[in-house]
Amino acid sequence: MADLHSPYQNSQAFQLYTSNTDGKAKIAGYVASLAHHRFGQQGVLLDLGAGDGLLTKELAPTFSKIIAVERDPVFKDALGSIANVQPVIARMEELELPRSSYDVALLSYSFTGVLEGERERFLTRLWRAKSPNGFVLAVTFQDGCRWDRFADEIYSALGKTRSGGTRYHMRELQRCGWRAEVIRSIPTQIWAPNIEGLIDVLEYFFAKTDGEREIYRELAQSILPSYVDAGPEGSTGVDVVEDVLLIQPEHES
Ligand SMILES: C[S@@+](CC[C@H](N)C(=O)[O-])C[C@H]1O[C@@H](n2cnc3c(N)ncnc32)[C@H](O)[C@@H]1O
């Protein structure tokens, strides 16, 4: 696999994406309002699959403490540099979670990273560890939004199976004895100065190897123009609808 991109290249590509979207700020605004309503500034956030910490950083002022769990060590320093944040480099399935260790758990675009065979056990342990008034949220894209349709075309060309989206989450959670309710749908956008720039920004999602990169770039050149709208300050953007899901066991044990 000589052409597999390094974790560092992937983290650079992820950061290019996160700095060209209003999604993280908007999601943080909504999650912060929910948490503030229930816990004031005193809540503890368990940020599961925290990535580069952009979302974590936006949330930091609302919580007294954030435990940011991330399996990729490349993000450790970025997470550790945020005030109030305790980075934990681990797979979330492996966490030891004492009772009442958090008030809000957030799985923003990370539930799909939990190994399928371990989801049920992980969710059971996660639920037992929340504070009495705590809650668990997941964030994913809305099926059928522009972003989803564009991504579907690219994934088919790459011959790759896609996971994610609200329907996927509902189905997978149900399989584990859980249910999900969409509590907010947030219109967001990913943008760049022009189509060429947008192709670069979106590369993170599709191209982990040089072969995939070639297929992605060629197809994106021809189809991306039909998915874009005007972005901020004369830029070009693709619209995304992001769903915030409240997730809980079907039956309390
Ligand atoms: C798409 S990023 C989302 C980052 C951030 N939550 C956000 O919304 O911007 C998903 C992150 O979750 C991490 N991740 C996926 N599965 C994980 C797991 N099982 N345990 C810990 N981290 C995981 C990945 O390494 C990646 O950094």
Side-chain angles (χ1 to χ4, degrees):
M1 297 283 264
D3 66 351
L4 249 191
H5 293 177
S6 70
Y8 179 71
Q9 282 170 305
N10 284 338
S11 83
Q12 295 281 88
F14 183 58
Q15 283 164 7
L16 179 64
Y17 149 63
T18 54
S19 51
N20 285 276
T21 175
D22 56 1
K24 304 304 165 194
K26 286 183 168 180
I27 291 164
Y30 178 62
V31 171
S33 70
L34 286 182
H36 191 265
H37 182 70
R38 197 168 290 193
F39 305 108
Q41 308 275 118
Q42 294 308 310
V44 174
L45 174 70
L46 184 60
D47 188 1
L48 294 162
D52 67 348
L54 195 79
L55 180 58
T56 321
K57 197 182 214 159
E58 301 265 358
L59 288 163
T62 306
F63 290 90
S64 62
K65 178 174 147 192
I66 298 182
I67 305 163
V69 183
E70 173 51 54
R71 69 179 172 197
D72 191 339
V74 82
F75 294 123
K76 186 175 181 188
D77 290 347
L79 292 169
S81 70
I82 309 168
N84 285 352
V85 171
Q86 178 193 330
V88 177
I89 299 302
R91 282 174 54 221
M92 61 182 99
E93 303 91 306
E94 290 167 350
L95 285 180
E96 287 298 330
L97 291 168
R99 281 185 189 265
S100 274
S101 52
Y102 70 88
D103 298 300
V104 180
L106 179 62
L107 286 146
S108 175
Y109 292 95
S110 58
F111 177 68
T112 55
V114 180
L115 296 174
E116 274 186 38
E118 296 186 26
R119 287 178 181 171
E120 193 170 342
R121 181 171 168 271
F122 163 68
L123 289 168
T124 304
R125 292 169 68 223
L126 181 64
W127 191 254
R128 286 198 190 128
K130 75 175 185 60
S131 67
N133 289 324
F135 53 88
V136 183
L137 302 173
V139 181
T140 187
F141 58 86
Q142 187 177 86
D143 301 280
C145 72
R146 255 174 197 265
W147 157 255
D148 180 37
R149 284 182 279 134
F150 169 70
D152 254 358
E153 281 208 54
I154 302 282
Y155 265 75
S156 315
L158 292 170
K160 284 169 83 172
T161 318
R162 221 174 141 214
S163 55
T166 297
R167 272 203 298 268
Y168 173 90
H169 278 70
M170 290 190 164
R171 195 175 57 240
E172 288 304 304
L173 286 161
Q174 199 174 22
R175 226 195 275 275
C176 300
W178 276 48
R179 66 191 151 90
E181 179 194 343
V182 177
I183 51 170
R184 182 64 65 96
S185 295
I186 305 176
T188 70
Q189 205 179 43
I190 308 169
W191 61 71
N194 49 41
I195 288 278
E196 278 304 317
L198 193 56
I199 291 173
D200 293 341
V201 169
L202 299 178
E203 193 171 297
Y204 159 76
F205 293 98
F206 307 107
K208 300 282 184 268
T209 66
D210 290 340
E212 286 174 1
R213 184 170 183 270
E214 213 171 295
I215 296 171
Y216 156 69
R217 293 194 77 90
E218 198 181 321
L219 183 57
Q221 290 281 357
S222 67
I223 67 166
L224 186 56
S226 62
Y227 286 99
V228 297
D229 282 298
E233 292 167 19
S235 61
T236 299
V238 57
D239 290 347
V240 189
V241 180
E242 307 196 51
D243 282 346
V244 180
L245 314 178
L246 179 69
I247 69 175
Q248 53 199 319
E250 192 67 61
H251 306 287
E252 290 272 353
S253 56

